[in-house]
Amino acid sequence: RWRAAGGRDRDAMRRLLQSLACAGLALTGASVQASDPMSYLAGLPRSELQVVTGSGTHRFQVWIAADDQSRMRGLMFVRSLPPDAGMLFLFERPQYARFWMKNTYLSFDLIFIRADGVVVNVAENTRPLTLDPIPSAAPVKAVLELLAGTAARIGLVAGNWVLHPALAGPAGDDDLQQPGNTVLNQTR
């Protein structure tokens, strides 16, 4: 039973109630993030990018994950996306990347991209809700997440191009005519 008379009991009860209130707010915040992932995504920058494959140039609207917090969260808890939407994970410098699908309800194609925009490798049809690592085959500057099946639908393979202002891009228009071109060390 709680006693209102004693000073120590009152201070202890106040600390307990404050702790419970903080814990309740933390849990409410976590459940709001999990239940409404689109509000989280609304706070991220959006951009258009192009993927150049043997079948043509394909445009996508992407959210940009360019800091640790947004890269860690990614598209967790999202349960539906338009077919032309995705997320572009950007890194400060090229590095080997490993992804997992924890709390990710959708299956994705992961496109690992060098700093010059050349696709290094594609991991198709990832398995949702798993911690299995999905690695890049080489150091990458970016990773593009698109709905599973998109890579097959547009013919996206290693050696194709992703065009975006955050990537250096191909050396010239001739390179775009050959989507499978994997020339190393290209400069603008």
Side-chain angles (χ1 to χ4, degrees), residues 56-78:
T57 300
H58 309 273
R59 297 178 189 284
F60 296 92
Q61 294 295 319
V62 294
W63 287 278
I64 304 296
D67 60 29
D68 289 340
Q69 182 179 1
S70 60
R71 285 190 295 259
M72 289 286 291
R73 173 75 186 263
L75 291 171
M76 286 182 177
F77 307 109
V78 173

Side-chain angles (χ1 to χ4, degrees), residues 1 15 18 20 38 56-57 64 69 87 118 154:
R1 240 171 103 162
R15 284 193 301 275
Q18 288 172 341
L20 289 173
M38 297 315 277
T57 300
I64 304 296
Q69 182 179 1
M87 180 168 276
V118 172
I154 67 174

Side-chain angles (χ1 to χ4, degrees), residues 94 111-121 138-143 159-162 166-169 181-186:
I111 297 89
F112 296 91
I113 310 161
R114 287 190 330 213
D116 62 0
V118 172
V119 174
V120 170
N121 63 300
V140 295
K141 173 81 169 149
V143 178
N160 289 162
W161 295 100
V162 175
L167 302 170
N181 188 352
T182 57
V183 176
L184 297 175
N185 299 322
Q186 293 193 351

Side-chain angles (χ1 to χ4, degrees), residues 48-52 57-60 117 144 161-164 167 176:
E48 180 180 280
L49 62 73
Q50 299 174 30
V51 178
V52 182
T57 300
H58 309 273
R59 297 178 189 284
F60 296 92
L144 175 61
W161 295 100
V162 175
L163 305 176
H164 187 269
L167 302 170
L176 292 178

